[in-house]
Amino acid sequence: MSLNIIPSSSIHVEANAPWKDCQVIMKVLLLKDPKEDDCGQDPYIRLSHPEGYGGLIFTSPRAVEAVELCLEKDNKAEVWKHSLKEKWNAKTVYVVGNATASLVNKIGLDAEGANCGNAEKLAEYICSRESPALPLLFPCGTVKGEILPQMLKDRGIPMESITVYQKVPHPGIQVNLNSYYAKQGVPASITFFSPSGLAYSLKHIQELSGDNIDRIKFAAIGPSTARALAAQGLPVSCMAESPTPQGLATGLRLALEAPRC
């Protein structure tokens, strides 16, 4: 199966069938995270007091980017570089996914847990290592999953959330979807990358797909998005094995296995 990204934010999936001379080209629509605003609390205030925390938790690249933007303002980068960075590196920084880990490394911090793949697995990893002590600082968005906070709470591991960004619908989402459907028709599969992405686009997709919506195989990047799909009464045909292009491609290949010609 080959994946070719095209400008309309969709991809063509070439599913090679196991039968000789049998090949089908299926259209897969990827609905990535909506546009994000950098509105939120300034995390620098709490990052300035590492002595009050046992470590950090980052479950998305956007949270790290928000912290990085904060450090670039008002000469805060110098204080971070010469003092705070070293103090935070003496603590554990937990992350979900390689993309998040890479950004954490970029601001000078070491990361643990990247291979956990999703917040639920990261929570299990944290619970296996932490004991009730100083709280973990959790920079996050206005819309965050509750599984990780609840799992830590159940195990008596204190955590403090700080909102550093908010998600808003992309202003062109309806126009882009109308354009896609007009040119490509109903896709064989639609992949959602977040519960909020599903909430912002589902109504438009239902209207454009009509009775053909039952033909679409819905895919999710992780368990939180899969639960959001199920809550809307939509069958989840595929969940990425890991939040990576390779993990998603593997799941889509299985979901879109070509029928016998």
Side-chain angles (χ1 to χ4, degrees):
M1 181 176 70
S2 62
L3 302 180
N4 300 302
I5 299 176
I6 59 177
S8 61
S9 297
S10 67
I11 57 173
H12 284 87
V13 178
E14 184 174 301
N16 296 315
W19 305 280
K20 184 179 180 181
D21 301 326
C22 177
Q23 188 181 77
V24 293
I25 305 298
M26 298 182 181
K27 296 184 179 69
V28 177
L29 180 60
L30 298 184
L31 293 177
K32 304 190 80 174
D33 282 350
K35 181 182 178 182
E36 283 132 5
D37 235 331
D38 60 1
C39 298
Q41 303 171 45
D42 187 343
Y44 188 78
I45 297 173
R46 298 204 201 175
L47 286 172
S48 298
H49 299 283
E51 70 280 359
Y53 299 95
L56 284 163
I57 301 175
F58 291 104
T59 58
S60 74
R62 279 80 61 191
V64 188
E65 289 167 351
V67 169
E68 185 177 21
L69 283 173
C70 157
L71 295 176
E72 292 173 354
K73 296 177 182 178
D74 304 324
N75 299 317
K76 295 172 183 174
E78 288 302 310
V79 179
W80 174 261
K81 180 180 178 181
H82 296 296
S83 174
L84 292 177
K85 181 177 69 173
E86 182 179 355
K87 293 178 180 178
W88 277 111
N89 256 335
K91 303 173 183 295
T92 306
V93 181
Y94 297 103
V95 302
V96 169
N98 293 324
T100 306
S102 178
L103 289 173
V104 164
N105 294 154
K106 183 181 175 183
I107 62 174
L109 297 177
D110 299 326
E112 291 193 23
N115 294 330
C116 291
N118 59 62
E120 186 172 352
K121 291 182 179 178
L122 180 64
E124 294 172 354
Y125 180 73
I126 294 173
C127 290
S128 71
R129 296 170 51 86
E130 294 286 334
S131 58
L134 293 174
L136 300 173
L137 182 60
F138 180 30
C140 57
T142 51
V143 180
K144 68 178 186 300
E146 294 301 324
I147 289 183
L148 183 146
Q150 188 61 50
M151 288 180 67
L152 297 188
K153 181 179 179 181
D154 291 345
R155 292 289 293 270
I157 298 172
M159 185 196 75
E160 290 185 14
S161 299
I162 175 173
T163 301
V164 295
Y165 70 93
Q166 64 178 347
K167 291 186 176 182
V168 296
H170 190 287
I173 186 169
Q174 186 170 1
V175 172
N176 291 341
L177 282 170
N178 288 344
S179 176
Y180 176 88
Y181 271 75
K183 295 176 181 178
Q184 305 288 348
V186 178
S189 176
I190 297 179
T191 299
F192 294 96
F193 285 74
S194 69
S196 55
L198 170 65
Y200 295 142
S201 60
L202 180 57
K203 180 181 177 181
H204 303 311
I205 289 170
Q206 290 171 326
E207 292 174 349
L208 290 166
S209 301
D211 294 337
N212 292 319
I213 197 165
D214 292 337
R215 292 168 39 196
I216 301 173
K217 293 187 176 181
F218 292 99
I221 195 64
S224 295
T225 307
R227 283 190 291 269
L229 277 165
Q232 292 291 340
L234 298 172
V236 181
S237 299
C238 160
M239 187 179 78
E241 295 180 351
S242 61
T244 63
Q246 295 79 11
L248 178 59
T250 298
L252 287 173
R253 182 186 296 113
L254 294 174
L256 297 174
E257 192 66 65
R260 185 182 296 274
C261 296

